[in-house]
Amino acid sequence: MFHHPLIYHLSSIERIEMMITAERKNNRGKIQIMGDVLALGTSGIRKTHIMYKANLSYEQVHLYLGELIEKRLIEQDVSPDGVVYRTTEKGREFLLHYT
């Protein structure tokens, strides 16, 4: 919570609005995360590298990759060396519009 003396003079609704605004500044939205994952996949990347570079948990990266694959924005490239994720042409188009 905020500890500035002026905060105590605000109504509870105003305090909640300030908290929501502060929270939004710190949290990325779903579209931004998808954009980050697609940008990482343009040259091909492994799941663990997506996790670290996009700052996602295993559960989050699993969910986002599943949705991106379902929407055909990213694809799995399976080889003897392992699984690499690559942004599809449709995913690149999304990135062009997103950025």
Side-chain angles (χ1 to χ4, degrees), residues 23-36 56 64 98:
E23 191 174 304
R24 282 188 185 146
K25 287 181 183 176
N26 295 330
N27 292 328
R28 294 178 292 168
K30 182 176 180 177
I31 300 297
Q32 185 178 358
I33 293 171
M34 290 177 137
D36 291 346
L56 298 172
Y64 280 103
Y98 172 71

Side-chain angles (χ1 to χ4, degrees), residues 40-50 65 69 74-87:
L40 289 168
T42 55
S43 58
I45 189 167
R46 295 180 187 274
K47 186 186 288 189
T48 52
H49 292 153
I50 294 171
L65 284 173
I69 290 168
I74 206 164
E75 61 189 5
Q76 287 181 329
D77 186 11
V78 182
S79 71
D81 296 332
V83 178
V84 174
Y85 294 87
R86 296 187 194 284
T87 303

Side-chain angles (χ1 to χ4, degrees), residues 4-91:
H4 193 278
L6 295 176
I7 297 300
Y8 299 109
H9 298 288
L10 298 175
S11 71
S12 59
I13 292 175
E14 290 170 320
R15 278 184 260 173
I16 291 170
E17 287 174 346
M18 285 184 72
M19 288 172 45
I20 290 170
T21 301
E23 191 174 304
R24 282 188 185 146
K25 287 181 183 176
N26 295 330
N27 292 328
R28 294 178 292 168
K30 182 176 180 177
I31 300 297
Q32 185 178 358
I33 293 171
M34 290 177 137
D36 291 346
V37 172
L38 291 173
L40 289 168
T42 55
S43 58
I45 189 167
R46 295 180 187 274
K47 186 186 288 189
T48 52
H49 292 153
I50 294 171
M51 281 176 47
Y52 295 122
K53 291 183 180 188
N55 196 27
L56 298 172
S57 69
Y58 177 81
E59 292 80 16
Q60 288 172 313
V61 78
H62 186 74
L63 289 170
Y64 280 103
L65 284 173
E67 187 167 345
L68 290 168
I69 290 168
E70 182 182 309
K71 294 180 185 312
R72 295 194 165 105
L73 297 172
I74 206 164
E75 61 189 5
Q76 287 181 329
D77 186 11
V78 182
S79 71
D81 296 332
V83 178
V84 174
Y85 294 87
R86 296 187 194 284
T87 303
T88 64
E89 188 59 38
K90 184 177 175 184

